[in-house]
Amino acid sequence: MSLRERLSEALKTAMRAKDQPTVDAVRMIIAKLKEKDIEARGRGVTDGIGEDEMLSMMQGMIKQRRESIELYDKGGRPELADKERAEIAIIEGFLPKQMSEEEAMAAIRGVVAETGAASVKDMGKVMAELKARYAGQMDFSKASGLVKQALSGG
C-alpha cells in the first residue's frame, strides 16, 4: 500500500473512531502533500510527488514541530507543546523505521567512500546522496553533524 493510500485509510479510520487529534494531523499531512503536488506541476510532475519527496516533506513537518515545542516550552505553554508532540507521534507513524546513530554512521561512511568525499567541502554531495537513499529513515539535522565528523577524520 502506498503512503498516499495509507494516509487516506488512516483518515477514514480516525474519522470512524472519532479520534480528532489523528484526524487533524492526517488532514494536515494531506494538505501539505497537495500543496507539494501543486508545486511539482511547475516542474512537469503531473501525477504527484514521489514517496521519497513525501518522506522528506514529513521529516520537515516533524522538524517544524520540534522547533515549535522548544518555543512553547520556553514560553510556558505546555499544552501547545504537548499537541505538537502528539502530531509528531502521528507523523512518525507513517515514516519507515528510523536508523539508530550507529546505523546512520555506517550509512554515512558508505556514502563517503562511494562518492570519494575527502573533506568538508564535499559535504553537500554526501548529504544529497544520503537524502536520496535514506529519506524518512534518517534525521538529517543530526546526520549533517555526523557527516562533518566523518569528513574531518572522526
Side-chain angles (χ1 to χ4, degrees):
M1 184 183 308
S2 75
L3 185 51
R4 287 177 194 272
E5 292 167 338
R6 286 179 37 220
L7 286 166
S8 179
E9 286 303 311
L11 179 60
K12 291 175 194 170
T13 302
M15 288 171 80
R16 281 188 215 111
K18 297 186 182 354
D19 179 357
Q20 199 58 46
T22 301
V23 168
D24 293 344
V26 173
R27 279 187 174 151
M28 179 184 52
I29 295 167
I30 292 171
K32 182 76 172 174
L33 178 57
K34 285 180 181 173
E35 182 183 311
K36 291 289 186 183
D37 285 344
I38 291 168
E39 285 176 19
R41 288 183 196 154
R43 299 188 316 251
V45 179
T46 56
D47 56 346
I49 62 174
E51 293 243 345
D52 56 335
E53 280 185 82
M54 291 170 66
L55 295 172
S56 292
M57 174 200 80
M58 292 168 80
Q59 286 284 33
M61 293 173 78
I62 290 171
K63 181 180 178 191
Q64 288 173 330
R65 272 144 198 79
R66 287 197 174 119
E67 290 167 359
S68 296
I69 288 169
E70 196 176 308
L71 294 172
Y72 289 144
D73 284 341
K74 284 180 185 173
R77 298 296 306 264
E79 72 285 358
L80 293 175
D82 290 343
K83 181 178 183 287
E84 297 288 325
R85 284 185 186 94
E87 287 177 0
I88 287 173
I90 293 165
I91 295 168
E92 285 178 337
F94 293 101
L95 296 175
K97 180 186 170 291
Q98 295 292 296
M99 294 178 138
S100 68
E101 191 167 327
E102 295 78 33
E103 292 169 325
M105 201 62 207
I108 289 167
R109 284 192 190 104
V111 169
V112 165
E114 286 174 36
T115 58
S119 70
V120 178
K121 290 179 184 173
D122 299 319
M123 188 167 166
K125 179 169 50 173
V126 173
M127 289 300 292
E129 187 62 29
L130 288 170
K131 285 180 180 178
R133 290 188 195 180
Y134 302 107
Q137 299 174 46
M138 188 182 284
D139 181 345
F140 293 107
S141 58
K142 291 178 185 169
S144 66
L146 295 174
V147 170
K148 274 184 192 164
Q149 181 183 333
L151 291 174
S152 60

